[in-house]
Amino acid sequence: MLKGRFFGLIVPLIAITFGFIAGAIIMLLSGNNPITGYVALFQGVFGDTYYFGETLQRMTPLIFSGLAVAFAFRAGLLNIGVEGQLIVGWFTSVYVGFTFDLPMIIHLPMALAAGALAGALWGFVPGLLKARFEVHEVIVTIMMNYIAMHVVNSIIRTYFIDSAQRTEIIAPTASLASDWLMQITQFSRLHWGFLLAIAACFVMWFILWKTKRGFELRSVGYNKNASAYSGMSVKGNIILSMSISGAFAGVGGAMLGLGTYQYANILPSFTNYGFDGIAVALLGASSSLGIFFSAFLFGALKEGANNMQAAAGIAPELVEIIIAFIIFFVASSYLIRWIYSRLQSKKGAK
Amino acid sequence: MDVILNVLYIIVPAALIAATPLLLTALGGLFSERSGIVNIGLEGLMVMGAFGGIVGTLYFESIGFGALSPWMGIVVAIILSAIFSLFHAVASIAFRADQIVSGVALNFLALGLTVFIVREVFGRGQTDTISDRIFTTTVPILSDIPLIGPMFFTRMFLTTYIAIGIVFVVWYVVFKTPFGLRLRSVGEHPMAADTMGIKVNRLRYIGVMLSGAFGGAGGAVFAITSAGNFAGGTIVGQGFMALAVLIFGKWHPFGALGAAIFFGFAQALGTSAQQLPGLSSIPQVYFLILPYVLTILALAGFVGKADPPKALNTPYEKGSR
């Protein structure tokens, strides 16, 4: 039969290929040249150190939202609420960033922790409802997304509106901005958060694979009943994993607030970082390394889309279509397995 | 007393109008979920419906159908969304994809595809505005009834009455016909249904495609009556709210009707609270989050327990037990 490790790699690769083929077909149907389009896309990522810096900046919150989705997924939960957790994390970290006057060594960690805490709280509620009342976390987290957006918008509008649609800028002592990273990337918005994101990949790997708690979380994800039988607290682990997942998402929001934008603004609609996190986690097979690479792919697609429009005149939404197809194909891995086993059995017959 | 009546004369029509797209889409979700397929993709189906409705209306306007165009636009939306829903159906039924993930992908795809096409065709992020809208009507005799007349029969869209009529049709189909019985059996216990010779997967395809048709109608009605054109931000969250309506209405057509009117009420309060005496001091945000908070409370069992169909979110494999 199929080897797990081999298939863990082959499904995402085939899904990506299919996604790009679907994108090419749509470019052809809409009268564009797919080769020109993809070349422009590629150049929009690697053509210039500025573009590359922006790509890394874009993938930073995606790593966090991907980790958040994956962490819950490992415990058998689907956290669609990363979007809302990210929004509250964004606002809370910025709030700490512009309210307090502290030395950087305290201020920055405090702002990050505030973001993590807010996200954790937003994950704790659906976790608690799931554990206590057996309410499906998917619906609760979707509802929590809207509550997060409306509440944060209202708080900014009522108390913290500075200029236009945003809060004031955070103090430099809470900022992740890096002159050095900006300079080597021709003044892109790349910030220290990128290194934090890499560190976060290690943190997730460590929690899941090197601690007793992580073993329990994964065990609950595999088989609830067996875990309960062997004395683990299924409910406790559900609440914990949703909270940690929310904390990852909250720090992802802090990346936007303390790194990219330096402020929080009134959101007319969702940021989509949370939903993209589902795609990142799925494609990355919920592993730290996989998430890093898939966050890079999606960050690059989104950054390259700008150049695709500028240089080849193709609407940037093409990238969203490609991403949607990639998710479809990853989710339909049964199809890929089925085709593969058919090919194998044909070989066997010869 | 007069003040209260005047408030009701503003709020009730606004609530019913806001409830209409939610109701239509939730009825679609009912068919899909009663057959055992979760449909988080209602949002995407509404997006596709809004797109089809507006583009269809623009097309029929341009070839001279006049006031008939928006109605034909709605038909286009229904067909387009029913076909589009096949993505979700094939992925979750034939390829046994996780239904929630597939629904999420459907939302992505709908928004990506429609805005992409709009940009390619119109050269900017939104379509032209339709000129032949469906206008509000005042029903001749009924509107003269004291009290009720001004609330329910003045400045209403015909689509609202049609949608409420459809609720009764859906109720009859789901609970009084053999088709409805089969559909529900597939959602509750697919193996037992299969044993009785019911084609599980075929019914599930029908359920999902009906959700596409109804979701498309909901999106088109919203776009044609409220928005007037289509852009990436035309449908923001109405599909998810329709899902909430379905759950809050306990997967029942009349429940959905009540929930849709209630959610429409919350929406109407949110948008018109500022003009109303006594409510203008309450921050708008409370009205905005009200439907979502209530859905969570309903799910947690504080507003009456809602039990989903038993086989929801599980692919059916012949011969498995």
Side-chain angles (χ1 to χ4, degrees):
Chain A
M1 231 3 237
L2 305 166
K3 288 163 205 79
R5 189 172 281 267
F6 169 70
F7 232 86
L9 201 64
I10 208 87
V11 169
L13 288 180
I14 291 177
I16 293 168
T17 314
F18 281 179
F20 276 94
I21 292 173
I25 291 171
I26 286 169
M27 281 193 263
L28 275 176
L29 290 177
S30 61
N32 294 295
N33 183 342
I35 296 168
T36 325
Y38 281 137
V39 167
L41 185 80
F42 189 79
Q43 279 174 343
V45 180
F46 298 102
D48 194 322
T49 49
Y50 171 81
Y51 289 146
F52 195 68
E54 278 290 297
T55 301
L56 298 185
Q57 178 270 119
R58 267 174 201 271
M59 74 182 275
T60 303
L62 286 178
I63 291 177
F64 280 100
S65 57
L67 290 174
V69 175
F71 198 88
F73 203 64
R74 286 283 183 189
L77 301 160
L78 188 58
N79 182 5
I80 307 246
V82 171
E83 182 72 32
Q85 293 146 13
L86 185 135
I87 290 173
V88 293
W90 181 351
F91 170 73
T92 313
S93 64
V94 168
Y95 172 76
V96 171
F98 66 66
T99 308
F100 295 94
D101 190 14
L102 296 162
M104 191 167 195
I105 192 124
I106 305 170
H107 200 179
L108 182 56
M110 196 167 111
L112 287 168
L117 203 66
L121 179 72
W122 227 251
F124 171 79
V125 174
L128 180 74
L129 290 174
K130 168 94 176 179
R132 181 82 180 71
F133 300 104
E134 292 180 5
V135 186
H136 204 293
E137 73 279 6
V138 165
I139 308 293
V140 178
T141 50
I142 288 175
M143 301 299 139
M144 296 280 290
N145 287 342
Y146 285 95
I147 297 173
M149 185 170 77
H150 289 307
V151 167
V152 165
N153 281 353
S154 162
I155 292 175
I156 295 176
R157 188 175 288 127
T158 318
Y159 303 106
F160 300 110
I161 200 88
D162 190 52
S163 69
Q165 297 283 297
R166 61 170 177 80
T167 64
E168 58 186 287
I169 304 275
I170 55 167
T173 46
S175 173
L176 283 167
S178 149
D179 288 336
W180 178 68
L181 286 175
M182 276 168 74
Q183 262 163 19
I184 59 168
T185 57
Q186 297 175 22
F187 296 95
S188 77
R189 291 172 295 175
L190 183 61
H191 53 82
W192 290 123
F194 181 63
L195 300 182
L196 280 178
I198 295 172
C201 290
F202 277 105
V203 169
M204 184 177 96
W205 171 82
F206 188 82
I207 295 177
L208 280 178
W209 302 96
K210 296 288 154 193
T211 66
K212 178 171 157 277
R213 224 2 137 167
F215 175 78
E216 285 192 16
L217 290 174
R218 286 186 291 123
S219 162
V220 168
Y222 277 125
N223 191 331
K224 251 180 220 168
N225 298 329
S227 308
Y229 186 70
S230 53
M232 298 174 193
S233 161
V234 172
K235 291 183 177 183
N237 280 308
I238 286 175
I239 297 175
L240 183 72
S241 69
M242 281 302 279
S243 304
I244 295 179
S245 168
F248 274 116
V251 180
M255 293 301 116
L256 295 165
L258 309 177
T260 308
Y261 296 104
Q262 314 273 316
Y263 56 76
N265 57 333
I266 293 174
L267 297 168
S269 63
F270 285 130
T271 65
N272 279 335
Y273 281 108
F275 302 119
D276 290 339
I278 301 169
V280 169
L282 271 176
L283 188 64
S286 299
S287 75
S288 293
L289 196 63
I291 285 167
F292 182 84
F293 286 118
S294 64
F296 177 74
L297 175 74
F298 290 138
L301 278 171
K302 281 169 187 271
E303 180 60 30
N306 296 332
N307 191 52
M308 207 171 62
Q309 188 177 31
I314 297 168
E317 280 74 20
L318 182 78
V319 158
E320 308 293 329
I321 301 173
I322 295 174
I323 292 178
F325 273 107
I326 293 176
I327 308 177
F328 265 120
F329 289 120
V330 176
S332 309
S333 64
Y334 172 79
L335 169 75
I336 297 172
R337 278 165 205 273
W338 183 79
I339 294 172
Y340 186 82
S341 64
R342 271 295 155 98
L343 291 176
Q344 287 299 95
S345 65
K346 250 182 204 166
K347 251 187 225 166
K350 275 176 196 173
Chain B
M1 191 61 201
D2 271 358
V3 178
I4 297 172
L5 269 184
N6 282 331
V7 169
L8 285 177
Y9 291 161
I10 298 174
I11 285 290
V12 173
L16 287 175
I17 289 166
T20 309
L22 297 180
L23 177 60
L24 284 170
T25 310
L27 289 175
L30 188 138
F31 281 110
S32 170
E33 302 221 336
R34 280 283 183 175
S35 78
I37 305 288
V38 181
N39 209 334
I40 299 268
L42 288 178
E43 175 89 359
L45 296 170
M46 278 187 93
V47 169
M48 201 38 95
F51 168 81
I54 292 294
V55 173
T57 306
L58 287 171
Y59 174 73
F60 289 118
E61 267 173 7
S62 71
I63 56 171
F65 276 94
L68 210 57
S69 316
W71 298 101
M72 295 168 79
I74 293 176
V75 175
V76 170
I78 289 171
I79 297 166
L80 188 68
S81 290
I83 295 169
F84 182 65
S85 70
L86 277 172
F87 270 108
H88 183 48
V90 170
S92 55
I93 300 167
F95 301 155
R96 294 173 210 169
D98 185 310
Q99 295 169 11
I100 288 164
V101 172
S102 156
V104 169
L106 196 77
N107 293 337
F108 271 107
L109 188 60
L111 207 57
L113 265 180
T114 52
V115 180
F116 179 79
I117 295 170
V118 167
R119 266 197 219 283
E120 291 285 319
V121 174
F122 292 86
R124 59 205 159 94
Q126 62 184 51
T127 65
D128 298 335
T129 305
I130 55 170
S131 38
D132 289 295
R133 292 214 187 181
I134 295 174
F135 289 105
T136 53
T137 47
T138 298
V139 185
I141 301 161
L142 295 174
S143 61
D144 296 332
I145 305 173
L147 233 64
I148 300 172
M151 272 189 239
F152 298 111
F153 300 109
T154 311
R155 288 176 289 111
M156 292 292 287
F157 291 106
L158 190 51
T159 44
T160 302
Y161 299 130
I162 296 174
I164 292 171
I166 288 175
V167 172
F168 290 87
V169 177
V170 168
W171 170 77
Y172 185 81
V173 168
V174 171
F175 290 100
K176 298 288 163 194
T177 63
F179 166 76
L181 182 65
R182 289 189 194 124
L183 188 83
R184 283 181 293 135
S185 74
V186 161
E188 295 289 335
H189 203 314
M191 201 171 66
D194 196 11
T195 314
M196 300 301 290
I198 296 168
K199 301 254 187 303
V200 175
N201 284 350
R202 185 161 76 184
L203 273 164
R204 288 185 163 184
Y205 273 106
I206 295 171
V208 174
M209 286 188 77
L210 280 173
S211 78
F214 277 80
V221 165
F222 180 82
I224 288 170
T225 56
S226 302
N229 67 358
F230 177 80
T234 302
I235 302 291
V236 273
Q238 285 93 337
F240 288 116
M241 210 187 256
L243 189 69
V245 164
L246 178 65
I247 296 164
F248 205 68
K250 299 178 183 173
W251 289 270
H252 193 285
F254 293 130
L257 175 63
I261 291 173
F262 182 79
F263 280 29
F265 212 77
Q267 272 193 329
L269 275 178
T271 46
S272 50
Q274 254 62 33
Q275 311 149 23
L276 301 174
L279 291 177
S280 52
S281 55
I282 302 173
Q284 196 193 11
V285 63
Y286 290 107
F287 298 111
L288 288 175
I289 65 171
L290 186 65
Y292 306 113
V293 173
L294 281 170
T295 306
I296 293 176
L297 293 177
L299 281 167
F302 298 127
V303 198
K305 189 77 183 163
D307 285 316
K310 284 198 185 57
L312 201 59
N313 202 15
T314 39
Y316 178 64
E317 293 172 54
K318 241 183 161 59
S320 70
R321 32 205 286 84

